[in-house]
Tab-separated table of all heavy atoms in Angstrom:
chain	number	residue	atom	x	y	z
A	137	PHE	N	-1.379	-16.061	-4.695
A	137	PHE	CA	-0.683	-14.951	-3.691
A	137	PHE	C	-0.558	-13.622	-4.373
A	137	PHE	O	-0.528	-12.638	-3.558
A	137	PHE	CB	0.592	-15.557	-3.291
A	137	PHE	CG	1.760	-15.244	-4.282
A	137	PHE	CD1	2.500	-14.022	-4.324
A	137	PHE	CD2	2.105	-16.274	-5.138
A	137	PHE	CE1	3.470	-13.857	-5.275
A	137	PHE	CE2	3.297	-15.916	-6.095
A	137	PHE	CZ	3.837	-14.827	-6.126
A	138	SER	N	-0.729	-13.511	-5.720
A	138	SER	CA	-0.484	-12.278	-6.352
A	138	SER	C	-1.601	-11.221	-5.927
A	138	SER	O	-1.252	-9.985	-5.735
A	138	SER	CB	-0.631	-12.533	-7.874
A	138	SER	OG	-1.895	-12.858	-8.237
A	139	GLY	N	-2.770	-11.742	-5.749
A	139	GLY	CA	-3.894	-10.813	-5.216
A	139	GLY	C	-3.631	-10.168	-3.962
A	139	GLY	O	-4.072	-9.022	-3.632
A	140	PHE	N	-2.760	-10.897	-3.032
A	140	PHE	CA	-2.483	-10.377	-1.790
A	140	PHE	C	-1.565	-9.163	-1.915
A	140	PHE	O	-1.409	-8.366	-0.936
A	140	PHE	CB	-1.929	-11.402	-0.953
A	140	PHE	CG	-2.953	-12.400	-0.307
A	140	PHE	CD1	-3.102	-13.687	-0.934
A	140	PHE	CD2	-3.752	-12.058	0.675
A	140	PHE	CE1	-4.148	-14.554	-0.521
A	140	PHE	CE2	-4.732	-12.945	1.076
A	140	PHE	CZ	-4.870	-14.280	0.492
A	141	MET	N	-0.722	-9.069	-2.961
A	141	MET	CA	0.185	-7.983	-3.060
A	141	MET	C	-0.582	-6.675	-3.344
A	141	MET	O	-0.154	-5.622	-2.929
A	141	MET	CB	1.133	-8.323	-4.235
A	141	MET	CG	2.077	-9.434	-3.983
A	141	MET	SD	3.317	-9.790	-5.154
A	141	MET	CE	2.310	-10.260	-6.563
A	142	TYR	N	-1.667	-6.704	-4.079
A	142	TYR	CA	-2.586	-5.560	-4.256
A	142	TYR	C	-3.214	-5.286	-2.889
A	142	TYR	O	-3.430	-4.206	-2.569
A	142	TYR	CB	-3.632	-5.806	-5.369
A	142	TYR	CG	-3.082	-5.950	-6.720
A	142	TYR	CD1	-2.632	-7.078	-7.228
A	142	TYR	CD2	-2.895	-4.893	-7.423
A	142	TYR	CE1	-2.058	-7.191	-8.439
A	142	TYR	CE2	-2.379	-4.929	-8.837
A	142	TYR	CZ	-1.979	-6.146	-9.201
A	142	TYR	OH	-1.405	-6.297	-10.605
A	143	ALA	N	-3.679	-6.392	-2.274
A	143	ALA	CA	-4.350	-6.156	-0.885
A	143	ALA	C	-3.410	-5.528	0.020
A	143	ALA	O	-3.878	-4.888	1.010
A	143	ALA	CB	-4.747	-7.468	-0.234
A	144	ALA	N	-2.061	-5.765	-0.022
A	144	ALA	CA	-1.078	-5.074	0.983
A	144	ALA	C	-1.165	-3.688	0.654
A	144	ALA	O	-0.950	-2.811	1.680
A	144	ALA	CB	0.194	-5.574	0.515
A	145	VAL	N	-1.370	-3.072	-0.517
A	145	VAL	CA	-1.401	-1.660	-0.756
A	145	VAL	C	-2.684	-1.131	-0.015
A	145	VAL	O	-2.707	-0.160	0.654
A	145	VAL	CB	-1.446	-1.303	-2.295
A	145	VAL	CG1	-1.505	0.125	-2.418
A	145	VAL	CG2	-0.205	-1.772	-2.887
A	146	GLY	N	-3.844	-1.834	-0.145
A	146	GLY	CA	-5.040	-1.447	0.442
A	146	GLY	C	-4.903	-1.500	2.004
A	146	GLY	O	-5.396	-0.595	2.634
A	147	SER	N	-4.311	-2.496	2.484
A	147	SER	CA	-4.016	-2.567	3.919
A	147	SER	C	-3.313	-1.337	4.429
A	147	SER	O	-3.595	-0.747	5.417
A	147	SER	CB	-3.321	-3.871	4.426
A	147	SER	OG	-2.943	-3.890	5.748
A	148	TYR	N	-2.283	-0.992	3.728
A	148	TYR	CA	-1.386	0.085	4.115
A	148	TYR	C	-2.238	1.411	4.156
A	148	TYR	O	-2.134	2.173	5.212
A	148	TYR	CB	-0.181	0.297	3.197
A	148	TYR	CG	0.441	1.691	3.406
A	148	TYR	CD1	1.321	1.883	4.397
A	148	TYR	CD2	0.283	2.733	2.395
A	148	TYR	CE1	1.890	3.123	4.544
A	148	TYR	CE2	0.875	4.015	2.572
A	148	TYR	CZ	1.660	4.099	3.695
A	148	TYR	OH	2.324	5.464	3.771
A	149	ILE	N	-3.022	1.633	3.137
A	149	ILE	CA	-3.685	3.007	3.019
A	149	ILE	C	-4.747	3.024	4.189
A	149	ILE	O	-4.966	4.017	4.862
A	149	ILE	CB	-4.356	3.258	1.679
A	149	ILE	CG1	-3.279	3.239	0.552
A	149	ILE	CG2	-5.194	4.312	1.643
A	149	ILE	CD1	-3.765	3.277	-0.841
A	150	ALA	N	-5.441	1.927	4.427
A	150	ALA	CA	-6.392	1.990	5.519
A	150	ALA	C	-5.720	2.210	6.850
A	150	ALA	O	-6.106	2.836	7.738
A	150	ALA	CB	-7.168	0.618	5.504
A	151	ARG	N	-4.586	1.454	7.163
A	151	ARG	CA	-3.927	1.625	8.389
A	151	ARG	C	-3.317	2.990	8.586
A	151	ARG	O	-3.287	3.557	9.666
A	151	ARG	CB	-2.858	0.362	8.546
A	151	ARG	CG	-3.632	-0.867	8.761
A	151	ARG	CD	-2.655	-2.099	8.711
A	151	ARG	NE	-1.555	-1.847	9.645
A	151	ARG	CZ	-1.495	-2.148	10.878
A	151	ARG	NH1	-2.722	-2.507	11.485
A	151	ARG	NH2	-0.431	-1.949	11.597
A	152	VAL	N	-2.529	3.419	7.538
A	152	VAL	CA	-1.964	4.763	7.666
A	152	VAL	C	-2.818	5.771	8.087
A	152	VAL	O	-2.450	6.681	8.850
A	152	VAL	CB	-0.936	4.998	6.516
A	152	VAL	CG1	-2.016	5.692	5.343
A	152	VAL	CG2	0.148	5.979	6.825
A	153	GLN	N	-4.089	5.803	7.561
A	153	GLN	CA	-4.929	6.827	7.911
A	153	GLN	C	-5.368	6.902	9.393
A	153	GLN	O	-5.434	7.991	9.957
A	153	GLN	CB	-6.267	6.776	6.981
A	153	GLN	CG	-6.017	6.988	5.556
A	153	GLN	CD	-7.363	6.975	4.751
A	153	GLN	OE1	-8.262	7.649	5.194
A	153	GLN	NE2	-7.359	6.373	3.600
A	154	ARG	N	-5.510	5.682	9.943
A	154	ARG	CA	-5.851	5.604	11.318
A	154	ARG	C	-4.575	5.846	12.278
A	154	ARG	O	-4.635	6.665	13.341
A	154	ARG	CB	-6.276	4.132	11.685
A	154	ARG	CG	-6.662	3.930	13.009
A	154	ARG	CD	-7.271	2.469	13.209
A	154	ARG	NE	-6.333	1.497	12.965
A	154	ARG	CZ	-6.563	0.665	12.069
A	154	ARG	NH1	-7.461	0.706	11.022
A	154	ARG	NH2	-5.579	-0.420	11.879
A	155	ILE	N	-3.398	5.375	11.850
A	155	ILE	CA	-2.340	5.456	12.730
A	155	ILE	C	-1.805	6.929	12.813
A	155	ILE	O	-1.337	7.336	13.838
A	155	ILE	CB	-1.088	4.570	12.163
A	155	ILE	CG1	-1.632	3.114	12.441
A	155	ILE	CG2	0.151	4.753	12.911
A	155	ILE	CD1	-0.776	2.012	11.645
A	156	PHE	N	-1.734	7.687	11.699
A	156	PHE	CA	-1.352	8.986	11.546
A	156	PHE	C	-2.557	10.004	11.768
A	156	PHE	O	-2.350	11.205	11.820
A	156	PHE	CB	-0.663	9.319	10.247
A	156	PHE	CG	0.718	8.803	10.255
A	156	PHE	CD1	1.074	7.521	9.728
A	156	PHE	CD2	1.806	9.571	10.713
A	156	PHE	CE1	2.312	7.025	9.750
A	156	PHE	CE2	3.060	9.177	10.583
A	156	PHE	CZ	3.385	7.835	10.033
A	157	HIS	N	-3.609	9.583	12.112
A	157	HIS	CA	-4.935	10.505	12.308
A	157	HIS	C	-5.010	11.490	11.146
A	157	HIS	O	-5.120	12.729	11.268
A	157	HIS	CB	-4.718	11.183	13.620
A	157	HIS	CG	-4.383	10.355	14.818
A	157	HIS	ND1	-5.297	9.482	15.293
A	157	HIS	CD2	-3.276	10.159	15.470
A	157	HIS	CE1	-4.876	8.868	16.396
A	157	HIS	NE2	-3.571	9.262	16.451
A	158	ILE	N	-4.974	10.961	9.956
A	158	ILE	CA	-4.990	11.724	8.679
A	158	ILE	C	-6.279	12.407	8.459
A	158	ILE	O	-7.282	11.824	8.607
A	158	ILE	CB	-4.551	10.895	7.476
A	158	ILE	CG1	-3.092	10.508	7.581
A	158	ILE	CG2	-4.894	11.626	6.212
A	158	ILE	CD1	-2.542	9.631	6.469
A	159	ARG	N	-6.231	13.705	8.193
A	159	ARG	CA	-7.423	14.419	7.767
A	159	ARG	C	-6.870	15.221	6.610
A	159	ARG	O	-5.704	15.398	6.301
A	159	ARG	CB	-7.885	15.496	8.838
A	159	ARG	CG	-8.247	14.841	10.163
A	159	ARG	CD	-9.511	14.046	10.054
A	159	ARG	NE	-9.939	13.598	11.496
A	159	ARG	CZ	-9.526	12.430	12.084
A	159	ARG	NH1	-8.654	11.701	11.381
A	159	ARG	NH2	-9.922	12.120	13.179
A	160	VAL	N	-7.870	15.816	5.855
A	160	VAL	CA	-7.682	16.446	4.546
A	160	VAL	C	-8.334	17.732	4.495
A	160	VAL	O	-9.216	18.143	5.226
A	160	VAL	CB	-8.075	15.601	3.296
A	160	VAL	CG1	-7.408	14.160	3.357
A	160	VAL	CG2	-9.616	15.329	3.461
A	161	ARG	N	-7.796	18.465	3.504
A	161	ARG	CA	-8.395	19.748	3.086
A	161	ARG	C	-8.521	19.806	1.586
A	161	ARG	O	-7.549	19.321	0.987
A	161	ARG	CB	-7.632	21.030	3.644
A	161	ARG	CG	-7.743	21.249	5.063
A	161	ARG	CD	-7.236	22.601	5.536
A	161	ARG	NE	-8.074	23.671	5.023
A	161	ARG	CZ	-7.792	24.955	4.929
A	161	ARG	NH1	-6.497	25.352	5.151
A	161	ARG	NH2	-8.685	25.841	4.610
A	162	ASN	N	-9.635	20.447	1.014
A	162	ASN	CA	-9.624	20.584	-0.331
A	162	ASN	C	-9.661	19.211	-1.026
A	162	ASN	O	-9.209	19.167	-2.175
A	162	ASN	CB	-8.626	21.548	-0.873
A	162	ASN	CG	-8.765	23.002	-0.296
A	162	ASN	OD1	-9.926	23.385	-0.160
A	162	ASN	ND2	-7.643	23.562	-0.053
A	163	TYR	N	-10.203	18.224	-0.501
A	163	TYR	CA	-10.359	16.865	-1.203
A	163	TYR	C	-11.463	17.068	-2.167
A	163	TYR	O	-12.578	17.552	-1.968
A	163	TYR	CB	-10.589	15.788	-0.134
A	163	TYR	CG	-10.450	14.397	-0.666
A	163	TYR	CD1	-9.254	13.831	-0.654
A	163	TYR	CD2	-11.618	13.727	-1.233
A	163	TYR	CE1	-9.069	12.468	-1.117
A	163	TYR	CE2	-11.284	12.402	-1.693
A	163	TYR	CZ	-10.140	11.817	-1.733
A	163	TYR	OH	-9.990	10.557	-2.129
A	164	PRO	N	-11.179	16.457	-3.365
A	164	PRO	CA	-12.242	16.683	-4.455
A	164	PRO	C	-13.563	15.858	-4.091
A	164	PRO	O	-13.531	15.005	-3.274
A	164	PRO	CB	-11.524	16.063	-5.704
A	164	PRO	CG	-10.510	15.196	-5.214
A	164	PRO	CD	-10.016	15.764	-3.874
A	165	PRO	N	-14.649	16.352	-4.709
A	165	PRO	CA	-15.862	15.539	-4.433
A	165	PRO	C	-15.682	14.062	-4.766
A	165	PRO	O	-14.978	13.650	-5.706
A	165	PRO	CB	-16.903	16.120	-5.404
A	165	PRO	CG	-16.352	17.574	-5.728
A	165	PRO	CD	-14.754	17.361	-5.602
A	166	LEU	N	-16.233	13.187	-3.903
A	166	LEU	CA	-16.020	11.718	-3.974
A	166	LEU	C	-16.424	11.242	-5.385
A	166	LEU	O	-15.715	10.345	-5.854
A	166	LEU	CB	-16.835	11.022	-2.914
A	166	LEU	CG	-16.230	11.124	-1.499
A	166	LEU	CD1	-17.067	10.468	-0.431
A	166	LEU	CD2	-14.792	10.553	-1.426
A	167	TRP	N	-17.596	11.689	-5.911
A	167	TRP	CA	-18.022	11.133	-7.189
A	167	TRP	C	-16.861	11.282	-8.248
A	167	TRP	O	-16.797	10.441	-9.166
A	167	TRP	CB	-19.387	11.659	-7.567
A	167	TRP	CG	-19.447	13.068	-8.055
A	167	TRP	CD1	-19.527	14.187	-7.308
A	167	TRP	CD2	-19.077	13.544	-9.386
A	167	TRP	NE1	-19.339	15.404	-8.149
A	167	TRP	CE2	-19.147	14.902	-9.385
A	167	TRP	CE3	-18.792	12.910	-10.607
A	167	TRP	CZ2	-18.927	15.685	-10.426
A	167	TRP	CZ3	-18.706	13.698	-11.698
A	167	TRP	CH2	-18.778	15.133	-11.649
A	168	THR	N	-16.261	12.446	-8.133
A	168	THR	CA	-15.209	12.671	-9.300
A	168	THR	C	-14.064	11.691	-9.095
A	168	THR	O	-13.447	11.277	-10.106
A	168	THR	CB	-14.667	14.107	-9.130
A	168	THR	OG1	-14.102	14.272	-7.957
A	168	THR	CG2	-15.858	15.099	-9.355
A	169	THR	N	-13.712	11.329	-7.770
A	169	THR	CA	-12.621	10.406	-7.625
A	169	THR	C	-13.135	8.930	-8.024
A	169	THR	O	-12.194	8.216	-8.546
A	169	THR	CB	-12.242	10.418	-6.190
A	169	THR	OG1	-13.149	9.753	-5.282
A	169	THR	CG2	-11.777	11.765	-5.700
A	170	TRP	N	-14.343	8.657	-7.989
A	170	TRP	CA	-14.759	7.336	-8.411
A	170	TRP	C	-14.815	7.220	-9.775
A	170	TRP	O	-14.190	6.278	-10.416
A	170	TRP	CB	-16.254	7.124	-7.903
A	170	TRP	CG	-16.469	7.022	-6.314
A	170	TRP	CD1	-15.425	6.709	-5.557
A	170	TRP	CD2	-17.527	7.254	-5.544
A	170	TRP	NE1	-15.784	6.684	-4.251
A	170	TRP	CE2	-17.156	7.133	-4.108
A	170	TRP	CE3	-18.804	7.836	-5.885
A	170	TRP	CZ2	-18.052	7.349	-3.194
A	170	TRP	CZ3	-19.850	7.877	-4.827
A	170	TRP	CH2	-19.297	7.725	-3.428
Side-chain angles (χ1 to χ4, degrees):
F137 80 86
S138 65
F140 286 100
M141 295 186 292
Y142 293 88
V145 178
S147 175
Y148 166 78
I149 294 172
R151 285 169 55 77
V152 80
Q153 291 189 45
R154 181 174 66 247
I155 292 168
F156 281 89
H157 309 288
I158 288 177
R159 302 288 187 274
V160 297
R161 290 193 71 199
N162 298 320
Y163 194 86
L166 285 178
W167 72 268
T168 63
T169 66
W170 295 336

